[in-house]
Amino acid sequence: MRLTKFYLPVMKETPSEAQIASHRLMLRAGMMRQEGAGIYAWLPLGFRVLKKIEQIVREEQDRAGAVEMLMPTIQQADLWRESGRYDAYGKEMLRIEDRGGREMLFGPTNEEMITEIVRAGMRSYKDLPKLLYHIQWKFRDEVRPRFGVMCGREFLMKDAYSFDFDDESGRRSYNKMFAAYLRTFERMGLKAIPMRAETGPIGGDLSHEFIILADTGESAVFCDKRLIEMPVPQKDTDFDGDLQSIVDQFTAHYAATDEMHDEAEFEKTVEEENRIAARGIEVGHIFFFGTKYSKPMKAMVAGSDGKDVPIQMGSYGVGVSRLVGGLIEAFHDDDGCKWPMAVTPFHAGLVNLKAGDAETDEACEKIYRELEAAGVEVLYDDTPARPGEKFARMDLIGLPYQIVIGPRGVKSGNAELKRRSDGEREDIALDAVASHVSALVRDALVYD
Amino acid sequence: MRLTKFYLPVMKETPSEAQIASHRLMLRAGMMRQEGAGIYAWLPLGFRVLKKIEQIVREEQDRAGAVEMLMPTIQQADLWRESGRYDAYGKEMLRIEDRGGREMLFGPTNEEMITEIVRAGMRSYKDLPKLLYHIQWKFRDEVRPRFGVMCGREFLMKDAYSFDFDDESGRRSYNKMFAAYLRTFERMGLKAIPMRAETGPIGGDLSHEFIILADTGESAVFCDKRLIEMPVPQKDTDFDGDLQSIVDQFTAHYAATDEMHDEAEFEKTVEEENRIAARGIEVGHIFFFGTKYSKPMKAMVAGSDGKDVPIQMGSYGVGVSRLVGGLIEAFHDDDGCKWPMAVTPFHAGLVNLKAGDAETDEACEKIYRELEAAGVEVLYDDTPARPGEKFARMDLIGLPYQIVIGPRGVKSGNAELKRRSDGEREDIALDAVASHVSALVRDALVYD
């Protein structure tokens, strides 16, 4: 992608309304623009990160056996009256009246709708188990939206729903999502720790929040250090097999959010050197709530004895748009973002230090073409801006590698390659740049 | 994908509310479910078609040099007051009040928002030209939603916006989208004819609708037959080059919707044997409206003389969700859908005629694994349903190829391969099925 064709409105000033790093950097790096309280437009740079996160979430849902679909954003109020949540949900629900006076709402979550869908299409225990998910925009009318995408009103969520005949099978579905979540966040470069958590308005008695540690996290968390080093399930994991040992392993050590924290138990079960008391960001939340929705909404299947029983259900959320902010909180410095390769908007930046100079242009164009042919996503700064501005902009947007080419380098036959994560620089022969960088990118994208 | 894991609630009865084939078939084939007037959930089968259409649209937008981003669904009323459209838009706009009493709306289109975005980030003629697009759910509160996704309320649209310094450059951007649209619909197997059209509430004086011919189309259309046979631009088209000759070629012959139709001109310019008077479905609409939004909303850039001028703009829509219906109108028979390879939910179906029979299961599993390994998207009917039910279901969902394997075939070493488009059947040796089918799929997906 040529920067002259891209739209990257970076800001020099730090926006005064932004209190945390991710909010500041997303605005400054031209990743998004506020279009209302807690409502953002995803500009091209931010959009690319959002899509990569979404795709990792999708791949791991598919691997776990979940099937993708898509529910609409607008729901009918009557559906929520069936579950009893229409009145219970309060002011966070954005209520809407259409031209015919019908009561509707912008969905904050989809338990009711998916229950309505499956009750129409599932008849027998033979239709189960099933796992369905969608990745859709939700709206929660937060009283005080803040911290950019971390606590916005319109947000992108992956929500999966499991349908099983009995409790035991339901717990197997829960375990699939538990294991899939460990993999999902790991692939983004994040260590998310499953913690016992309150179930809140979703309901049920089995629930885990997946929390990444960050100083700017919204809640205090307490856990055993050994959880952080625990290897996550590999990609050849059999999701139709027994995953209980994985869940047992990750729940064997203490981990709880402040709502569920028990200081006495923490001190009793975790040795002092292993105790972590930190702040955390919730990036996923899974629930097994049995018949909470299927019973009042009459989503029933017949057992082998012909008798109808309500379906056992769970729901499983990942905050896709929130993860963009969470990743920046985890990966940034004073100069800007430092994207892990799996979620970076582009793999590399190519900086032409003297656009308009025939020889430099030619060298850059050649490497640009070679990188694109090799499948490297490259943002080519072909603008006439000054070198200092170009360097600052590249550091701000935080691509993993910067390839810098100027007239002097062209004469000596070299480009400078800078690694954003630690600032390390090396000279590379112009002829070798594309193969060298594409190997670095390829190696960084391998995962187990 | 195993059908036992998929969610495919097909219906035997024809839903009474569905008046046209696409609406009927989308409900019967378990592609979608109505969740309110003109509001649908996309079940897994329909979702896969939607995603394929979206991806073709995306690839052709990218090829034309447009850059993807994503604007939110909820917009502020004040933005629409700036352009004067808040009051003008009428009851089709879904107006919303949030908990703080702020006036908002569910966006029916995004001219205002994109104008607000670029006026904040573009300063100089050097920042132009730019082409931005997004693929996002919109809402139009139709007084009488009907025909399923063809005239729904919540719908998925690709809308692109062009930004240029002067009229001439603006027309070049318009031409890019014109050419991209020809390619986009062609890749889906559709022949879309650009027709002169009214600009309506979007505005401007240069506009074309892209129309596919179908008996159930919403409007009468009139065109010259030669337009239908005209080859579309190839994939190596230089979108930065001069595309005027392509536009000239496709606008040299008569083509108009009923609103713009001039019978006298039609008869004068088109020989009788070339006159087509038919019904059509609008699948795309492009507009060049100059400064209609940039002027009142003050989206200005400085020219080389330092003087500010309003940006020249156009907007370019494709009805992504509507195309699912349009494709079915174009490709179906009494038994069900007949998907073109480029947009089919799966490339092939694999029918196990006797699930539970060890030898048949084994033969099916082997071919299923081979097809998946070869990159063929296959829906494996591994359910215990009777053969007649399986055949009817496969015809209904309309995958291009059906591979049928039963105990008798296993004994003789053959599978039956049925082509859905014309019902042709042939026997294929079990060992050769995967390579044969994957070659058929690959060949059908090649495009210029």
Side-chain angles (χ1 to χ4, degrees):
Chain A
M1 177 65 67
R2 288 168 198 278
L3 188 48
T4 46
K5 287 201 169 186
F6 204 61
Y7 181 57
L8 185 68
V10 300
M11 295 179 188
K12 281 187 188 122
E13 308 300 316
T14 296
S16 59
E17 74 272 27
Q19 297 166 42
I20 62 172
S22 59
H23 191 187
R24 267 197 308 273
L25 288 174
M26 287 183 73
L27 292 171
R28 281 196 54 213
M31 293 181 66
M32 67 175 188
R33 177 169 176 80
Q34 186 172 332
E35 293 298 328
I39 301 175
Y40 295 92
W42 294 79
L43 304 184
L45 194 76
F47 176 75
R48 293 178 70 98
V49 178
L50 187 70
K51 275 280 150 179
K52 289 205 178 171
I53 293 171
E54 181 186 297
Q55 186 57 23
I56 290 174
V57 171
R58 172 174 292 125
E59 287 171 14
E60 296 302 327
Q61 289 292 296
D62 293 346
R63 188 192 312 276
V67 175
E68 193 168 3
M69 58 179 294
L70 187 61
M71 288 177 269
T73 63
I74 300 296
Q75 307 188 15
Q76 303 203 61
D78 280 345
L79 206 51
W80 288 65
R81 292 205 173 92
E82 287 190 50
S83 71
R85 283 207 296 180
Y86 188 65
D87 295 322
Y89 217 95
K91 289 194 167 180
E92 264 193 29
M93 180 186 279
L94 187 66
R95 291 156 209 260
I96 302 171
E97 209 172 89
D98 73 5
R99 69 190 294 171
R102 278 172 289 219
E103 288 175 287
M104 310 194 300
L105 56 100
F106 198 124
T109 177
N110 287 65
E111 281 80 10
E112 281 79 0
M113 189 178 280
I114 195 74
T115 305
E116 190 281 331
I117 288 170
V118 302
R119 80 178 168 196
M122 295 184 187
R123 294 272 165 271
S124 149
Y125 72 97
K126 291 178 196 160
D127 295 330
L128 303 176
K130 287 279 191 298
L131 260 170
L132 299 171
Y133 76 99
H134 78 156
I135 303 173
Q136 177 61 294
W137 292 89
K138 314 280 192 294
F139 202 96
R140 287 185 196 160
D141 202 356
E142 300 278 353
V143 64
R144 202 154 66 90
R146 60 201 163 130
F147 303 149
V149 297
M150 303 295 284
C151 184
R153 295 200 292 169
E154 188 169 333
F155 61 98
L156 187 60
M157 187 163 109
K158 184 283 301 180
D159 36 327
Y161 301 90
S162 63
F163 309 94
D164 289 271
F165 184 65
D166 56 28
D167 183 84
E168 194 191 321
S169 171
R171 280 163 199 270
R172 277 199 296 271
S173 294
Y174 185 88
N175 290 351
K176 284 185 192 181
M177 287 294 114
F178 191 107
Y181 277 34
L182 292 170
R183 287 190 48 77
T184 300
F185 301 119
E186 173 92 2
R187 277 188 58 191
M188 296 174 197
L190 296 171
K191 185 56 75 174
I193 303 163
M195 301 197 180
R196 273 181 282 164
E198 294 271 14
T199 58
I202 304 289
D205 55 8
L206 175 61
S207 175
H208 286 93
E209 277 184 23
F210 286 74
I211 304 267
I212 57 172
L213 304 183
D215 294 342
T216 50
E218 70 267 358
S219 54
V221 295
F222 306 85
C223 70
D224 190 318
K225 204 171 82 180
R226 284 169 293 179
L227 283 167
I228 295 176
E229 282 121 39
M230 215 166 261
V232 308
Q234 297 212 316
K235 70 177 169 194
D236 58 0
T237 300
D238 175 14
F239 278 85
D240 288 324
D242 187 1
L243 303 171
Q244 192 60 48
S245 62
I246 292 168
V247 176
D248 288 346
Q249 186 194 356
F250 273 89
T251 52
H253 301 294
Y254 190 94
T257 60
D258 47 3
E259 297 160 324
M260 299 290 275
H261 180 55
D262 178 337
E263 184 69 24
E265 193 197 333
F266 187 44
E267 288 177 10
K268 203 179 101 190
T269 58
V270 187
E271 285 161 46
E272 200 168 349
E273 68 269 26
N274 285 334
R275 281 179 215 151
I276 292 182
R279 298 201 68 80
I281 298 169
E282 180 196 334
V283 289
H285 201 158
I286 62 177
F287 304 88
F288 179 64
F289 41 68
T291 61
K292 179 181 152 97
Y293 300 91
S294 56
K295 213 166 176 176
M297 294 184 68
K298 300 193 177 55
M300 320 284 277
V301 290
S304 54
D305 58 1
K307 272 194 199 138
D308 276 353
V309 296
I311 299 172
Q312 297 283 331
M313 290 175 53
S315 75
Y316 312 90
V318 169
V320 176
S321 49
R322 155 172 271 236
L323 271 163
V324 180
L327 279 157
I328 295 179
E329 293 297 333
F331 301 105
H332 74 273
D333 62 17
D334 289 347
D335 296 327
C337 305
K338 295 164 79 167
W339 293 108
M341 193 61 82
V343 294
T344 182
F346 294 92
H347 300 138
L350 173 62
V351 177
N352 181 334
L353 287 179
K354 202 171 179 186
D357 174 70
E359 288 186 346
T360 312
D361 286 354
E362 197 190 332
C364 287
E365 291 287 338
K366 181 162 178 285
I367 286 173
Y368 178 56
R369 279 194 307 272
E370 289 169 349
L371 287 167
E372 295 239 304
V376 176
E377 298 166 4
V378 53
L379 182 65
Y380 172 26
D381 187 344
D382 57 343
T383 68
R386 285 169 303 103
E389 189 181 334
K390 293 191 175 198
F391 293 140
R393 182 160 56 199
M394 276 293 167
D395 281 349
L396 177 60
I397 67 174
L399 312 180
Y401 291 100
Q402 300 170 12
I403 302 154
V404 180
I405 299 177
R408 220 175 311 164
V410 171
K411 283 216 167 58
S412 65
N414 283 317
E416 186 182 69
L417 181 67
K418 175 178 165 183
R419 186 162 63 194
R420 179 67 179 91
S421 59
D422 58 6
E424 200 184 86
R425 295 155 195 270
E426 54 177 327
D427 281 347
I428 310 269
L430 289 172
D431 282 350
V433 167
S435 60
H436 185 71
V437 172
S438 67
L440 290 170
V441 170
R442 216 169 32 243
D443 291 350
L445 289 175
V446 172
Y447 62 88
D448 265 324
Chain B
M1 176 66 67
R2 287 167 200 278
L3 188 49
T4 46
K5 286 202 171 185
F6 205 61
Y7 181 57
L8 185 68
V10 300
M11 294 180 190
K12 278 182 191 128
E13 308 299 317
T14 295
S16 59
E17 74 271 27
Q19 297 166 42
I20 62 172
S22 59
H23 191 188
R24 268 196 306 275
L25 288 174
M26 287 183 72
L27 291 172
R28 282 197 53 215
M31 293 180 65
M32 67 175 189
R33 178 170 175 79
Q34 187 172 331
E35 294 298 329
I39 301 175
Y40 296 91
W42 294 80
L43 304 184
L45 194 77
F47 176 75
R48 292 177 70 97
V49 178
L50 187 70
K51 276 280 151 177
K52 289 206 178 168
I53 293 171
E54 182 186 298
Q55 186 57 24
I56 290 174
V57 171
R58 173 175 291 125
E59 286 172 14
E60 296 303 327
Q61 289 292 297
D62 292 346
R63 189 192 312 277
V67 175
E68 192 168 4
M69 59 180 293
L70 187 61
M71 289 177 268
T73 63
I74 301 296
Q75 307 188 14
Q76 304 204 61
D78 281 345
L79 206 50
W80 288 66
R81 293 207 171 90
E82 286 190 50
S83 71
R85 283 208 296 180
Y86 188 65
D87 295 322
Y89 217 92
K91 288 193 166 183
E92 263 194 29
M93 180 185 280
L94 187 66
R95 292 156 209 260
I96 303 171
E97 208 171 87
D98 73 4
R99 68 190 294 171
R102 278 172 288 219
E103 287 175 288
M104 313 196 298
L105 56 102
F106 198 124
T109 178
N110 286 66
E111 281 81 9
E112 282 79 358
M113 190 180 279
I114 196 74
T115 305
E116 189 279 333
I117 288 170
V118 302
R119 81 179 168 196
M122 295 182 187
R123 294 272 166 271
S124 148
Y125 71 98
K126 291 179 198 160
D127 295 329
L128 303 176
K130 286 278 191 299
L131 261 170
L132 299 172
Y133 76 99
H134 77 156
I135 303 174
Q136 177 62 294
W137 292 90
K138 314 281 193 290
F139 203 96
R140 286 183 197 163
D141 202 357
E142 301 278 352
V143 63
R144 203 153 66 91
R146 59 198 164 135
F147 303 149
V149 298
M150 302 295 284
C151 185
R153 295 200 292 171
E154 187 169 333
F155 60 98
L156 187 60
M157 187 164 110
K158 183 285 299 181
D159 36 325
Y161 301 90
S162 63
F163 309 95
D164 288 271
F165 184 66
D166 56 29
D167 183 85
E168 193 191 322
S169 170
R171 281 162 198 273
R172 277 198 297 271
S173 294
Y174 185 89
N175 291 351
K176 284 185 193 183
M177 287 295 115
F178 191 107
Y181 277 33
L182 292 171
R183 288 190 48 76
T184 300
F185 301 118
E186 173 92 0
R187 278 188 58 191
M188 297 174 197
L190 296 171
K191 184 57 74 175
I193 303 162
M195 300 198 180
R196 274 181 281 163
E198 293 272 15
T199 58
I202 304 288
D205 56 8
L206 175 60
S207 176
H208 286 91
E209 277 184 23
F210 286 74
I211 304 267
I212 57 171
L213 304 184
D215 294 342
T216 49
E218 70 268 355
S219 54
V221 296
F222 305 86
C223 70
D224 191 318
K225 204 172 80 178
R226 285 169 292 180
L227 282 167
I228 294 176
E229 283 122 39
M230 215 166 259
V232 309
Q234 298 213 314
K235 70 177 169 193
D236 58 1
T237 300
D238 175 14
F239 278 85
D240 289 324
D242 187 1
L243 303 171
Q244 191 62 48
S245 61
I246 292 169
V247 175
D248 288 346
Q249 186 195 355
F250 274 88
T251 52
H253 302 293
Y254 190 94
T257 59
D258 47 3
E259 297 159 324
M260 299 291 274
H261 180 55
D262 178 336
E263 184 67 25
E265 193 195 334
F266 188 43
E267 288 176 10
K268 201 178 102 189
T269 57
V270 187
E271 285 161 46
E272 200 168 351
E273 68 269 23
N274 285 334
R275 282 178 214 152
I276 293 182
R279 300 201 67 80
I281 297 170
E282 180 196 335
V283 289
H285 201 157
I286 62 177
F287 304 88
F288 180 64
F289 42 68
T291 61
K292 180 181 152 94
Y293 299 90
S294 57
K295 212 166 177 175
M297 294 185 67
K298 300 192 177 56
M300 320 284 278
V301 291
S304 55
D305 58 0
K307 271 191 200 143
D308 277 352
V309 297
I311 299 171
Q312 297 284 330
M313 290 174 54
S315 75
Y316 312 90
V318 170
V320 176
S321 50
R322 152 171 274 236
L323 272 162
V324 181
L327 280 157
I328 295 180
E329 293 297 332
F331 302 104
H332 74 275
D333 62 18
D334 289 346
D335 296 328
C337 305
K338 295 163 80 167
W339 294 110
M341 193 62 81
V343 294
T344 181
F346 294 91
H347 300 138
L350 173 61
V351 177
N352 181 334
L353 288 180
K354 202 171 179 188
D357 173 71
E359 287 186 346
T360 312
D361 286 354
E362 198 192 331
C364 287
E365 290 288 338
K366 180 162 178 284
I367 286 174
Y368 178 55
R369 280 194 307 272
E370 289 170 352
L371 286 166
E372 294 239 303
V376 176
E377 298 165 3
V378 54
L379 182 65
Y380 172 26
D381 187 344
D382 57 343
T383 68
R386 286 168 302 103
E389 189 181 334
K390 293 192 175 196
F391 292 140
R393 182 161 56 201
M394 275 294 167
D395 281 350
L396 177 60
I397 69 174
L399 313 180
Y401 292 99
Q402 300 170 12
I403 302 154
V404 180
I405 298 178
R408 219 176 311 164
V410 171
K411 282 211 171 58
S412 65
N414 283 317
E416 187 182 70
L417 181 67
K418 175 177 164 183
R419 187 162 62 193
R420 179 67 180 90
S421 60
D422 58 5
E424 200 183 86
R425 294 155 196 269
E426 55 176 325
D427 280 348
I428 310 270
L430 289 171
D431 282 351
V433 168
S435 61
H436 185 71
V437 172
S438 68
L440 289 170
V441 171
R442 216 172 29 244
D443 290 350
L445 288 175
V446 171
Y447 62 88
D448 265 326

